[in-house]
Amino acid sequence: MATSSISRVAKNPINFSTRNVESQKKSIFSRHLSFSNSSISLQKLSLVKSSYFSGKFNTTPVFNVLETVESKSDLLSRTRDPDNVVKTERPTILVSEKLGEAGLDLLRTFGNVECSYNLSPEELCAKISLCDALIVRSGTKVTRQVFEAAKGRLKVVGRAGVGIDNVDLQAATEFGCLVVNAPTANTIAAAEHGIALLASMARNVAQADASMKAGKWQRNKYVGVSLVGKTLAIMGFGKVGSEVARRAKGLGMHVIAHDPYAPADRARAIGVELISFDQAISTADFISLHMPLTPTTNKVFNDETFSKMKKGVRIINVARGGVIDEDALVRALDNGTVAQAALDVFTEEPPPKDSKLVQHENVTVTPHLGASTKEAQDGVAVEIAEAVVGALKGELSATAVNAPMVPPEVLSELAPYVTLAEKLGRLAVQLVAGGSGIQSVKVAYKSARDPDNLDTRLLRAMITKGIIEPISDSHINLVNADFIAKQKGLRISEERVLVDSSSENPIDSIQVQVSNVESKFASALTENGNISIEGRVKYGIPHLTRVGSFEVDVSLDGNLILCRQVDQPGMIGRVGNILGERNVNVSFMSVGRTAKRTKAIMAIGVDEEPDKDTLKKVGEVPAVEEFVFLEL
Ligand SMILES: NC(=O)c1ccc[n+]([C@@H]2O[C@H](COP(=O)([O-])OP(=O)(O)OC[C@H]3O[C@@H](n4cnc5c(N)ncnc54)[C@H](O)[C@@H]3O)[C@@H](O)[C@H]2O)c1
Ligand SMILES: O=C(O)[C@H](O)COP(=O)(O)O
């Protein structure tokens, strides 16, 4: 048996104290209530309503997951009237920059679309609290202030394009707002623009055009350089970079590339050699930039790196202006290190009118037109509209930027485990006695799969959601689960236990253990004093299979009563009668014991919530030593 573990540690324990339970009864969506006391109580947890209607998710497996991952109704537009009643309506989607009609049409089939271009930051902040989704291009800065101003309503930001450097991802994550982009539809447009700039710069097309329009005929002044046989360094060998490489090879150029993360075989397949940064910039005649703007790439082209370049190098930038120190580039152009530059992107967009760089005679500029072809804009608009609508429907996105991207086939396979994970989290927290503070949760996944082949981020997020949501007013989803757990001082460690099994199931069982707490159901404690429950998926349905050291087998559907009793005949009948007399329908019953006629645990699935009197009667059966009612 092999194990591997991943631990996530945070500083402060969760503080569980009293909160207003009565108010929770008023609403189905307990998580959205605001509590006068910000701290959290386990004392009367049995009164806390589940966020979901039971049985609501019994649709197709994939839809089931999607709903559970981010309760579908949470992602749809919802408002509350003054009495705190939830209203569901068509979501409002704000489009703050020009988007292709095909995308807008698709959005309109699903929500109310408002196109408001050229909003000032203040205007955007003023509007955003009325919006469920925001779609931007590179011109809108989606700052922390925007997420704050959204007051929890904004569910998704769609970036109609690739670069997400204009979106504060950390703030989005903290506010549980999904960010999706449209990473593929403008690749060719950007690559073609890069090639257009390369060729026009080499032949002084823009300068010669301006000169002729000024009435001149300067054939000697605009003698260019040839591309064939020249070395082009591609900096960032991703989607755009590799398409530029293919095209440059067609022009007879020798192409080299630098990208610390690109697979060498992909480069080899295009006939490109991947080399170090210094090697690339020092050997190239032309350097074309295609990396994202990140803290690492910010101003990576600066005085020092320009000084390592071949004298007379030519630079093309269709990536992001910020990767170049623009003052340093002006110096390099002035001293001849850089012969020419062709730039589509700038640190500040639009750049100041008196920008020395823009005005430089050896510089060709375009106003961020890389993605601006009709074809690319149509494609991007549809790509982002589909992603945003999917997110609003509660689906996981294949282009999520701040949440795990789960391919559809993995999602469908993990669907029942996602439900199991959330329910185990929800059960585990209800077994904790009032007053205890949960600091540490350990999750063990038994699986025959190679750990590298089992992505448990989704499951961890759902366990976290299950644990925190019933006891807090935090809105938890896949985007912010880790962040909120850390913020609340909850340490969740994961262990993968490799088991021998020929089963095709991705996971054999999931065990959730809560350490250093008291339990309101002592039988849920294992010898090491941890609350421990375990579940597995049987025929596609999540089951609870172990409580403490007792094996049980009960489908996790509806609510659950756990009783510890002296193992003797007639117990099932006695408890069943009490419930039946009070019209509480029993859906499952399972008895687990450690040895004959000693102690046993009875797990009873019930469709209805028994009233206090009924539960009292169950507790009064002489052989019943302890019992707990748990809501799923
Ligand atoms: N001008 C435009 O209109 C326009 C259009 C499309 C894309 N873009 C920009 O072009 C860039 C590339 O887009 P893409 O779609 O090819 O993205 P991509 O993610 O497919 O490729 C980016 C590549 O850069 C690499 N990279 C990351 N850090 C690097 C570093 N420090 N050094 C070298 N390489 C590094 C990555 O490994 C990746 O392979 C992005 O900045 C994007 O915003 C601009
Ligand atoms: O990152 C991108 O996709 C490009 O820079 C395009 O930006 P745009 O949508 O503002 O044209």
Side-chain angles (χ1 to χ4, degrees):
M1 192 185 281
T3 63
S4 66
S5 47
I6 306 159
S7 296
R8 274 151 214 282
V9 187
K11 284 181 199 148
N12 309 308
I14 300 181
N15 175 19
F16 294 108
S17 62
T18 317
R19 73 173 189 183
N20 182 353
V21 175
E22 277 311 302
S23 65
Q24 297 166 43
K25 292 195 213 160
K26 288 186 192 158
S27 168
I28 297 156
F29 299 94
S30 60
R31 83 189 88 169
H32 285 277
L33 297 177
S34 55
F35 299 101
S36 50
N37 186 342
S38 61
S39 52
I40 299 162
S41 170
L42 284 170
Q43 314 262 358
K44 297 175 184 167
L45 194 58
S46 60
L47 292 176
V48 176
K49 282 280 179 196
S50 160
S51 304
Y52 309 123
F53 290 105
S54 57
K56 185 180 164 200
F57 305 120
N58 295 338
T59 52
T60 62
V62 173
F63 199 57
N64 193 355
V65 181
L66 305 178
E67 289 240 16
T68 312
V69 165
E70 173 49 87
S71 167
K72 187 180 181 191
S73 48
D74 276 349
L75 287 177
L76 291 171
S77 170
R78 295 187 303 130
T79 54
R80 288 177 181 281
D81 64 18
D83 296 328
N84 210 22
V85 172
V86 177
K87 288 179 183 167
T88 301
E89 57 188 37
R90 277 163 68 79
T92 297
I93 303 164
L94 175 63
V95 179
S96 70
E97 289 176 75
K98 187 140 177 48
L99 195 69
E101 272 308 313
L104 290 174
D105 286 347
L106 205 150
L107 292 171
R108 285 186 192 111
T109 61
F110 186 75
N112 301 326
V113 179
E114 183 185 332
C115 295
S116 289
Y117 306 148
N118 304 317
L119 292 173
S120 67
E122 295 73 27
E123 287 167 332
L124 177 59
C125 285
K127 271 186 191 294
I128 203 69
S129 65
L130 303 172
C131 303
D132 302 277
L134 168 66
I135 297 186
V136 301
R137 287 178 59 185
S138 59
T140 307
K141 302 272 175 276
V142 192
T143 58
R144 179 171 287 275
Q145 286 72 28
V146 174
F147 292 105
E148 280 165 0
K151 299 196 173 86
R153 177 154 171 182
L154 188 65
K155 310 295 184 305
V156 54
V157 172
R159 161 59 169 116
V162 185
I164 29 86
D165 43 284
N166 53 323
V167 180
D168 186 334
L169 282 183
Q170 179 59 32
T173 304
E174 288 177 23
F175 283 86
C177 180
L178 184 70
V179 179
V180 290
N181 71 349
T184 59
N186 67 23
T187 299
I188 299 300
E192 287 178 352
H193 197 63
I195 293 291
L197 289 179
L198 167 77
S200 58
M201 170 176 65
R203 302 305 294 270
N204 302 304
V205 173
Q207 291 83 349
D209 176 72
S211 146
M212 266 193 80
K213 286 187 169 118
K216 299 177 189 162
W217 184 257
Q218 298 179 291
R219 297 186 65 217
N220 294 336
K221 182 169 181 187
Y222 294 120
V223 174
V225 290
S226 186
L227 299 178
V228 70
K230 298 282 166 50
T231 296
L232 169 68
I234 303 277
M235 309 302 285
F237 198 71
K239 294 183 293 296
V240 179
S242 34
E243 290 303 328
V244 169
R246 280 182 217 279
R247 284 155 180 75
K249 284 188 81 72
L251 295 170
M253 299 186 84
H254 170 59
V255 184
I256 53 177
H258 167 71
D259 187 325
Y261 315 108
D265 51 350
R266 183 155 58 78
R268 255 196 311 275
I270 301 177
V272 173
E273 194 191 348
L274 281 177
I275 53 178
S276 72
F277 183 93
D278 281 0
Q279 261 181 305
I281 61 167
S282 59
T283 46
D285 303 299
F286 292 82
I287 300 177
S288 192
L289 313 186
H290 301 289
M291 66 252 284
L293 177 60
T294 64
T296 325
T297 61
N298 188 30
K299 294 192 178 165
V300 69
F301 297 95
N302 49 40
D303 285 318
E304 190 196 337
T305 49
F306 285 129
S307 72
K308 293 178 180 167
M309 294 177 188
K310 240 183 179 178
K311 191 155 175 74
V313 67
R314 288 174 167 80
I315 294 178
I316 304 106
N317 188 7
V318 289
R320 281 294 177 267
V323 302
I324 296 180
D325 175 341
E326 292 178 339
D327 293 336
L329 178 56
V330 172
R331 287 190 283 277
L333 283 157
D334 285 344
N335 68 28
T337 306
V338 175
Q340 287 182 300
L343 310 171
D344 183 47
V345 283
F346 306 88
T347 303
E348 192 187 327
E349 293 188 356
K353 288 208 168 67
D354 60 353
S355 157
K356 282 191 183 155
L357 190 59
V358 173
Q359 301 302 333
H360 204 286
E361 63 165 345
N362 295 336
V363 175
T364 304
V365 286
T366 50
H368 202 148
L369 292 180
S372 296
T373 62
K374 180 162 181 349
E375 294 82 355
Q377 281 313 304
D378 285 350
V380 161
V382 171
E383 197 177 359
I384 203 61
E386 283 173 348
V388 166
V389 167
L392 287 171
K393 281 181 179 169
E395 293 169 6
L396 284 179
S397 172
T399 62
V401 176
N402 61 343
M405 286 186 273
V406 186
E409 62 283 5
V410 175
L411 195 57
S412 130
E413 188 184 40
L414 284 185
Y417 300 92
V418 169
T419 311
L420 172 66
E422 184 181 8
K423 291 197 170 182
L424 288 175
R426 205 168 270 281
L427 283 187
V429 73
Q430 291 181 69
L431 288 167
V432 177
S436 298
I438 300 182
Q439 287 173 272
S440 174
V441 173
K442 188 170 148 195
V443 183
Y445 309 95
K446 280 192 190 149
S447 167
R449 292 258 170 103
D450 180 337
D452 289 344
N453 201 9
L454 181 66
D455 188 343
T456 56
R457 287 173 302 173
L458 190 52
L459 303 175
R460 189 184 64 234
M462 295 314 289
I463 291 168
T464 309
K465 180 170 160 41
I467 290 172
I468 297 179
E469 212 166 61
I471 52 171
S472 122
D473 53 356
S474 299
H475 166 91
I476 298 168
N477 60 21
L478 191 57
V479 176
N480 65 2
D482 273 349
F483 174 78
I484 290 193
K486 277 181 196 152
Q487 207 187 32
K488 292 193 177 293
L490 177 62
R491 173 180 183 265
I492 297 192
S493 61
E494 289 180 293
E495 184 183 27
R496 315 230 185 134
V497 183
L498 210 54
V499 289
D500 272 342
S501 166
S502 55
S503 159
E504 302 234 313
N505 290 342
I507 295 169
D508 192 58
S509 67
I510 303 177
Q511 183 192 54
V512 176
Q513 290 201 38
V514 186
S515 326
N516 304 319
V517 286
E518 287 166 30
S519 178
K520 60 166 76 155
F521 187 67
S523 315
L525 296 169
T526 51
E527 278 170 7
N528 57 14
N530 295 339
I531 290 178
S532 173
I533 52 173
E534 194 172 306
R536 55 183 64 199
V537 170
K538 293 184 167 185
Y539 308 108
I541 296 170
H543 279 235
L544 179 69
T545 52
R546 184 177 279 275
V547 175
S549 7
F550 293 87
E551 276 183 22
V552 293
D553 189 358
V554 59
S555 143
L556 288 173
D557 189 20
N559 300 316
L560 196 62
I561 299 172
L562 294 177
C563 291
R564 188 189 68 212
Q565 72 221 25
V566 179
D567 184 30
Q568 58 181 231
M571 287 304 294
I572 294 182
R574 231 173 287 173
V575 174
N577 275 346
I578 294 171
L579 296 172
E581 278 162 13
R582 283 150 183 91
N583 205 24
V584 176
N585 197 37
V586 173
S587 53
F588 285 92
M589 222 175 216
S590 150
V591 179
R593 60 191 182 184
T594 43
K596 268 188 202 171
R597 304 262 174 171
T598 53
K599 307 274 177 217
I601 278 194
M602 184 156 52
I604 309 162
V606 285
D607 290 341
E608 291 82 22
E609 178 178 343
D611 60 26
K612 277 190 191 145
D613 218 42
T614 310
L615 289 171
K616 196 166 156 251
K617 284 265 179 289
V618 171
E620 281 167 5
V621 173
V624 170
E625 294 175 340
E626 61 167 345
F627 77 98
V628 66
F629 172 72
L630 305 164
E631 288 187 89
L632 297 173

